[in-house]
Amino acid sequence: MSDFFNGIPEIRYEGAQTRNPFAFRYYNPDEIIDGKPMREQLKFAVSYWHTLCAEGADMFGVGTADKSFGAAELMDMYKNKANAAFEIMDKLSIDYFCFHDRDIAPEAQTLSQTNERLDEIVPVIEENMKKSGKKLLWGTANCFGNPRYMHGAGTAPDADVFAFAAAQIKKAIEITVRLGGAGYVFWGGREGYETLLNTDMAFELDNMARLMHLAVDYGRKIGFKGDFYIEPKPKEPTKHQYDFDASTVLAFLRKYGLDKDFKLNIEANHATLAGHTFNHELCVARTNRAFGSIDANQGDMLLGWDTDQFPTNVYETALCMLEVIRAGGFTNGGLNFDAKARRGSFEHKDIFLSYIAGMDAFALGYRIALKIVADGRIDEFVKARYSSYSTGIGADIVAGKATMEQLENYALKKGDVRASVGSGRQEYLESVLNSLMFG
Ligand code: XUL
Ligand code: CO
């Protein structure tokens, strides 16, 4: 194993009372919890782009963190990044990683030169995977960063750009298959528009679906058995992103017959940008049998953009994990930390400290979610709230037997129904939640 972080020990579970910053307080990877080791329940993944690439540049200043990993030559730097990725996973007991094509190897002058660079790096990753047993949660193609994608990739008005995106995605799927990836993500970076004055929305959406069908057909042809995902996001970079939220994406997938192959990758900060809670988006995905994977992070409610912070809000992680439990746990998906340390947290140490914070927040959230289920008060309340649909007129409605005439007769006989309306008891339920969290 490489030694880029030689001052950082292997991070171990020491329990909630520990004052050791390089220890887990709640994440105990091999503890059996609900029938499986915690590491298998939570399926944490390292995001290659934030962790190995992003140096903290923003529109007001250059990067503050050094992610060159001691290399002077470009390709050496990317080899070092690959080795560093596995050192990070190893030290943190993280079993999975996710990447964009351009995170693992930088773009060159031409597509074939870029592909050669990928072919040079993929064996380095492959070798590390073999040695460590780490796995690829999902791969994706960055079809938004290069200026050629200024008007979109699949939704670009220029057919050459569509062709280039398809070629890039083809290669990214090949790499994902070669590395045994369980998923392939479409995040529609610039798939959206700024003004309808220059945009044919219907044509662009048809083209996006064409590209996805091509990708699915090709992936299945070369043996990809995993899930394709769409990752909804409402804005940023375009004003109107086509993949606004989970509901919008589900309508798109069904319209174009893509719903058999695609599930959703729900990201916390994207949910809140869309004006939803994280667990709302998860619930929409779950109840439509489209829950796939999670990009774990959190936004700042006072800022209107995608801050991609490491998740530390335990209310959110607990309610998220409650949805995951209700979905029956992860299958091909997992918890990918699409999160970056703040620009001021620029030391290599901060990579570890921020992962520890995020992993502990999810481990604690998971423990609380299991308590909510075992306690049963919240589930029982919800069940009782709808109990009038189990008998009488309610049962007839659910069975599809009640007609409009019968319902009218029923209501006329009742005269008024105000007396049977129960309280929603929101405050009581919130206090139950608090007692389960802090009691
Ligand atoms: C951008 C974002 C992406 C996707 C993968 O907001 O979340 O990093 O997760 O392209
Ligand atoms: Co994401």
Side-chain angles (χ1 to χ4, degrees):
M1 203 184 42
S2 64
D3 198 14
F4 294 109
F5 309 99
N6 56 16
I8 313 280
E10 208 169 290
I11 313 300
R12 296 186 197 285
Y13 172 72
E14 291 185 7
Q17 304 314 316
T18 187
R19 296 177 71 90
N20 175 6
F22 293 100
F24 293 120
R25 285 151 187 75
Y26 305 101
Y27 178 56
N28 188 5
D30 297 314
E31 179 183 329
I32 305 292
I33 183 160
D34 202 26
K36 272 200 275 187
M38 222 171 181
R39 64 196 312 152
E40 288 176 31
Q41 298 283 15
L42 294 168
K43 294 183 70 183
F44 289 132
V46 159
S47 64
Y48 214 99
W49 52 105
H50 288 307
T51 313
L52 285 312
C53 302
E55 297 184 333
D58 65 15
M59 60 270 252
F60 301 102
V62 297
T64 53
D66 179 1
K67 302 270 174 88
S68 64
F69 299 102
E73 297 296 323
L74 186 66
M75 288 309 284
D76 286 343
M77 187 165 92
Y78 278 81
K79 281 176 196 155
N80 289 0
K81 283 182 196 288
N83 293 327
F86 285 84
E87 190 181 335
I88 291 170
M89 284 185 261
D90 217 66
K91 288 194 164 158
L92 284 163
S93 293
I94 293 181
D95 297 330
Y96 296 87
F97 63 104
C98 301
F99 63 79
H100 302 82
D101 49 0
R102 303 304 178 242
D103 308 331
I104 60 171
E107 193 154 359
Q109 284 300 315
T110 66
L111 184 63
S112 59
Q113 286 164 354
T114 304
N115 287 348
E116 276 166 29
R117 286 183 173 179
L118 284 165
D119 293 339
E120 195 179 330
I121 296 292
V122 168
V124 181
I125 294 178
E126 204 168 32
E127 193 56 31
N128 271 295
M129 289 175 77
K130 265 190 209 137
K131 273 195 226 143
S132 63
K134 307 286 177 202
K135 297 184 211 88
L136 175 61
L137 191 70
W138 52 257
T140 187
N142 178 333
C143 292
F144 45 87
N146 189 289
R148 77 175 68 85
Y149 296 124
M150 68 177 81
H151 303 303
T155 63
D158 188 321
D160 280 1
V161 176
F162 183 105
F164 201 99
Q168 202 181 317
I169 290 166
K170 175 178 176 287
K171 182 75 177 169
I173 294 175
E174 286 164 9
I175 296 169
T176 301
V177 170
R178 174 168 168 183
L179 298 178
Y184 184 87
V185 165
F186 277 82
W187 170 59
R190 294 187 195 272
E191 314 293 13
Y193 67 92
E194 299 296 328
T195 171
L196 283 176
L197 292 175
N198 65 10
T199 302
D200 183 339
M201 189 199 281
F203 186 74
E204 292 199 356
L205 286 167
D206 287 352
N207 267 357
M208 195 63 234
R210 285 185 184 106
L211 183 59
M212 288 181 176
H213 271 295
L214 286 166
V216 168
D217 292 348
Y218 183 70
R220 299 304 181 211
K221 190 170 91 183
I222 65 165
F224 179 59
K225 303 245 173 350
D227 291 321
F228 286 91
Y229 303 116
I230 294 190
E231 184 178 316
K233 183 175 180 181
K235 53 186 166 190
E236 252 200 350
T238 66
K239 181 164 70 176
H240 297 280
Q241 296 272 137
Y242 288 132
D243 303 333
F244 187 92
D245 63 0
S247 298
T248 312
V249 166
L250 284 165
F252 170 86
L253 291 174
R254 286 173 185 161
K255 175 178 176 189
Y256 292 103
L258 288 159
D259 48 320
K260 305 278 172 298
D261 292 282
F262 275 84
K263 292 192 169 131
L264 305 191
N265 183 38
I266 301 294
E267 178 164 326
N269 203 169
H270 295 180
T272 51
L273 285 177
H276 301 306
T277 57
F278 184 19
N279 60 322
H280 166 89
E281 286 292 85
L282 290 164
C283 186
V284 171
R286 171 175 68 81
T287 54
N288 284 281
R289 292 192 192 78
F291 168 67
S293 201
I294 289 177
D295 269 11
N297 61 17
Q298 70 184 29
D300 185 320
M301 292 308 145
L302 300 183
L303 301 175
W305 62 91
D306 196 13
T307 57
D308 281 345
Q309 287 166 228
F310 270 88
T312 52
N313 181 331
V314 179
Y315 279 98
E316 279 198 6
T317 60
L319 295 176
C320 162
M321 289 313 297
L322 190 58
E323 285 300 323
V324 175
I325 293 169
R326 287 176 175 159
F330 291 111
T331 47
N332 282 328
L335 283 163
N336 167 46
F337 286 103
D338 192 353
K340 59 188 176 210
R342 298 302 82 199
R343 187 169 184 265
S345 306
F346 64 95
E347 296 177 357
H348 277 173
K349 263 185 200 172
D350 290 303
I351 298 176
F352 290 86
L353 294 173
S354 49
Y355 269 94
I356 292 168
M359 292 164 76
D360 266 341
F362 264 94
L364 179 55
Y366 182 43
R367 291 178 192 277
I368 292 165
L370 287 170
K371 265 168 107 180
I372 296 171
V373 174
D375 175 82
R377 272 176 290 173
I378 291 177
D379 283 340
E380 278 158 26
F381 180 85
V382 174
K383 199 167 164 225
R385 194 167 182 228
Y386 298 92
S387 59
S388 65
Y389 285 95
S390 318
T391 54
I393 193 76
D396 288 348
I397 293 170
V398 173
K401 285 192 207 147
T403 64
M404 289 299 269
E405 290 85 350
Q406 281 166 340
L407 291 166
E408 185 193 37
N409 276 341
Y410 182 86
L412 285 170
K413 252 188 242 155
K414 283 260 164 183
D416 189 20
V417 293
R418 171 66 184 84
S420 54
V421 176
S423 166
R425 298 264 189 272
Q426 181 174 332
E427 299 76 5
Y428 160 71
L429 294 167
E430 285 166 349
S431 80
V432 168
L433 179 59
N434 273 350
S435 72
L436 292 168
M437 289 182 70
F438 302 106

